[in-house]
Amino acid sequence: MHSSTTVRTGSQGALVLAALFLVAACLRPALTSVGSVLGQIGDTTGLSGSALGLLGALPLLGFAVVSPLVHGPAARWGVDRMVLVAMVVLCAGIIIRSLSPLPALWVGTALIGASVAVGNVLVPAIIRRDQPSRISLLTGVNTSVMNASAALAAGLAVPLSLLLGSWRPALGLWAGLVAVAVLVWAVRMRRVPGSETIGAVGTTREEPERSVWTSAKAWQVTVFMGLQSTTYFTLMNWLPTVEASRGVAPTTAGWHLFGFQLAGIVAGLAITTLMGRRAEQRPACLVVSVTMVVAMTGLVWAPGWGLLWILLAGASTGGAIVVALALIALRGGTHGRTIRLSGMAQSMGYLLAAGGPVAAGTLGQTMGVWEPVLLLVGALALVQLGVSLLAGRPERTPSGEHTDR
């Protein structure tokens, strides 16, 4: 078995981290850039609110379908090779989505969802494999990079669409970043010893283990993952529309979405301090869940402080995704089991999350007002609060000691 402590030179270690962070930077812009220009997409294509909600949910459905399938190919070809293929497909999906025919919008979005799903599943396993003693820290840094690119994409979408004359090139520009990630990841595979095969082992040679699908702890992590994803993607897709209904200018709403992501970056880094290296993660789970409840309460009953509540909501989602991904790595136990748990948590979690944008679009269109969408997110955060008490609690061995499994 290849060891996760493979000796590398300083330049190789830097290349490994640079490649990992570049991949992280590519996993959200293709998704978060859509919310700010959703109205433009509707005007151009004639899609209804429900159809736009389905468009926003399509990548999440892709996550749900593809995530549990990643383990097999990763075991056969290695995680690094799978990440490279995913980045190539992501680049193609972004380009296709920006083409004029309406079917290209749906096909490109589906390809984006499928490729991002692969990265979502494998990144926690790669972190556990390469940096087992720094899981929480690197998960926090990696997620902050992901949130930073998501923030830029959300904030720049409207200005770029105005500058370039359409939402299509504004969304398509992100293919350039993915192309860079493809090149750097390919160099990593070529120059770092063992990177082409390490990761395939451990999925077939380890001792037989109980299926993650029968593990109560795996389901608790999965539900937590799903609820925090639901609130995040619902707000990312519909928060600008909610603000527009209150008279906020589209460009301003886009920058509020940028602030939402920026707060997530700070919170994602800060939450790692609370998490530390402990198996016990209930305090971190509770903090990120309570913050979302407070934010949605404020947006509904004190809208004059809207930006403050949006920043709090962003801090909640930014911290929650770090906690969720760290829980996957901490509770995985082995490389292979971590990939299986990641596939399960992201498959079922994103299947749950896919209903958020659709339900929000239908609810807002039916009610004629958008406050019920905020109440929906607040209710989901309350459920997440309850689940966090279970997901963050470590299991105990028969001797009474804590275990990360």
Side-chain angles (χ1 to χ4, degrees):
M1 178 182 296
H2 291 277
S3 171
S4 60
T5 57
T6 300
V7 177
R8 298 189 176 109
T9 66
S11 60
Q12 288 172 341
L15 178 60
V16 165
L17 290 179
L20 183 65
F21 294 154
L22 261 176
V23 167
C26 294
L27 294 180
R28 288 296 178 267
L31 306 176
T32 61
S33 56
V34 173
S36 298
V37 295
L38 205 58
Q40 295 182 37
I41 295 175
D43 293 339
T44 303
T45 62
L47 294 176
S48 66
S50 297
L52 291 172
L54 180 59
L55 182 68
L58 187 57
L60 307 184
L61 293 173
F63 296 172
V65 172
V66 174
S67 294
L69 306 178
V70 173
H71 174 259
R76 179 175 299 178
W77 296 305
V79 295
D80 297 275
R81 197 171 280 120
M82 284 294 296
V83 170
L84 181 65
V85 172
M87 290 297 100
V88 171
V89 175
L90 176 58
C91 188
I94 293 174
I95 293 172
I96 291 172
R97 184 180 63 178
S98 300
L99 301 179
S100 296
L102 183 59
L105 176 64
W106 295 96
V107 171
T109 300
L111 289 175
I112 288 168
S115 55
V116 171
V118 175
N120 285 342
V121 170
L122 295 182
V123 164
I126 291 173
I127 290 176
R128 183 181 182 91
R129 181 195 70 188
D130 292 347
Q131 302 287 342
S133 64
R134 297 192 294 170
I135 290 174
S136 295
L137 174 62
L138 277 186
T139 299
V141 174
N142 200 66
T143 306
S144 294
V145 171
M146 185 169 64
N147 287 340
S149 63
L152 285 173
L156 293 174
V158 172
L160 284 175
S161 69
L162 295 176
L163 177 65
L164 300 174
S166 171
W167 58 269
R168 296 183 191 277
L171 299 186
L173 283 176
W174 294 101
L177 176 63
V178 181
V180 173
V182 168
L183 292 175
V184 175
W185 194 266
V187 172
R188 165 195 163 124
M189 291 181 62
R190 184 176 180 85
R191 295 188 179 179
V192 178
S195 66
E196 292 191 26
T197 56
I198 187 170
V201 293
T203 55
T204 57
R205 298 182 184 178
E206 293 164 354
E207 296 180 3
E209 296 175 318
R210 182 165 59 100
S211 170
V212 293
W213 294 89
T214 62
S215 167
K217 181 58 64 178
W219 278 106
Q220 291 158 11
V221 172
T222 294
V223 174
F224 182 85
M225 179 74 182
L227 289 170
Q228 66 83 25
S229 297
T230 304
T231 57
Y232 173 79
F233 284 104
T234 299
L235 291 174
M236 279 304 306
N237 278 280
W238 291 109
L239 193 55
T241 303
V242 173
E243 289 208 281
S245 72
R246 295 177 168 181
V248 179
T251 301
T252 302
W255 284 112
H256 283 179
L257 206 58
F258 173 83
F260 173 92
Q261 294 285 355
L262 192 63
I265 297 170
V266 176
L269 289 172
I271 201 69
T272 61
T273 302
L274 180 60
M275 295 176 71
R277 299 184 180 184
R278 300 181 298 273
E280 171 63 77
Q281 296 298 341
R282 277 178 292 185
C285 291
L286 286 171
V287 166
V288 297
S289 302
V290 168
T291 303
M292 181 60 74
V293 174
V294 172
M296 292 303 101
T297 301
L299 275 175
V300 172
W301 280 287
W305 294 78
L307 181 57
L308 170 63
W309 309 128
I310 289 172
L311 294 177
L312 280 178
S316 171
T317 60
I321 185 61
V322 171
V323 173
L325 294 177
L327 284 176
I328 290 172
L330 288 168
R331 304 298 187 244
T334 64
H335 301 318
R337 186 177 173 86
T338 298
I339 294 176
R340 289 191 288 272
L341 175 56
S342 186
M344 172 188 172
Q346 302 203 47
S347 172
M348 301 306 295
Y350 285 124
L351 183 61
L352 173 63
V358 176
T362 303
L363 187 62
Q365 191 173 41
T366 302
M367 300 293 290
V369 292
W370 291 92
E371 280 69 22
V373 172
L374 302 176
L375 292 173
L376 172 64
V377 173
L380 291 172
L382 280 173
V383 178
Q384 178 183 311
L385 179 61
V387 173
S388 67
L389 296 174
L390 300 173
R393 181 182 60 192
E395 293 181 341
R396 292 180 179 272
T397 63
S399 64
E401 295 180 351
H402 285 146
T403 175
D404 284 344
R405 294 288 297 280

